[in-house]
Amino acid sequence: MEHVDITEKTSDSQPRWLTIIRIALGLILFWKGISFIRDSSDLQSMLQRMSIGVVDKNTEWIAFLITYINLLGGLFITVGLFTKTSCIIQIPILIGAVFFVNTKHGLNQSTSELILSAVVLLLLILFAIKGSGVLSADEYFTSYYKAGSEDGNTKKFFK
């Protein structure tokens, strides 16, 4: 019986157009991190409006973490490096954005922000399951690692 790695199976079967969606998802998260850097007081006020005791006491620290997790996670998802891990780390932040922050604002004020947060959350869950795909840094490094240990794979890198 042949051993098949599940990551190889999902990477090969993933359509190429999903790579464009992964890159767009990463750029959206990166852009959101930049917007949090530009106006960190807005993020802190959103966190204070959540009215959760632990969050109220540490809003500056949590705002700092959310900002830089969005920046790094968005960058990693865009290039396809540590995609599953980056998505799993981003999911709790987006759950907080969808269920606590956007619903507290009311549906009249931030419908587009709520829809964007929900779509990003669903895409994060998708890429946490599917992985980064064929056109990614993860796939490149996996192939490069195999190129050194198996005969015949080095030809695609040293033509």
Side-chain angles (χ1 to χ4, degrees), residues 48-99:
Q48 287 175 345
R49 279 184 262 154
M50 285 175 53
S51 302
I52 297 175
V54 176
V55 175
D56 286 341
K57 296 176 186 173
N58 301 313
T59 55
E60 289 180 19
W61 176 246
I62 292 173
F64 175 81
L65 280 176
I66 289 172
T67 300
Y68 287 99
I69 287 173
N70 274 337
L71 280 172
L72 287 175
L75 180 66
F76 284 171
I77 291 169
T78 300
V79 297
L81 184 63
F82 306 119
T83 305
K84 287 184 177 188
T85 306
S86 297
C87 288
I88 290 170
I89 291 171
Q90 292 281 338
I91 287 173
I93 295 171
L94 266 295
I95 287 174
V98 170
F99 293 110

Side-chain angles (χ1 to χ4, degrees), residues 97-155:
V98 170
F99 293 110
F100 296 115
V101 176
N102 287 326
T103 55
K104 296 268 184 181
H105 285 293
L107 294 177
N108 296 336
Q109 293 178 359
S110 61
T111 305
S112 62
E113 190 73 26
L114 177 64
I115 291 170
L116 179 66
S117 297
V119 168
V120 168
L121 177 62
L122 291 174
L123 288 174
L124 285 172
I125 292 170
L126 172 73
F127 287 111
I129 294 168
K130 292 288 268 179
S132 56
V134 179
L135 298 173
S136 66
D138 285 336
E139 187 67 26
Y140 172 77
F141 290 128
T142 302
S143 299
Y144 185 74
Y145 175 73
K146 287 180 183 176
S149 63
E150 296 177 1
D151 293 333
N153 286 335
T154 55
K155 290 181 182 176

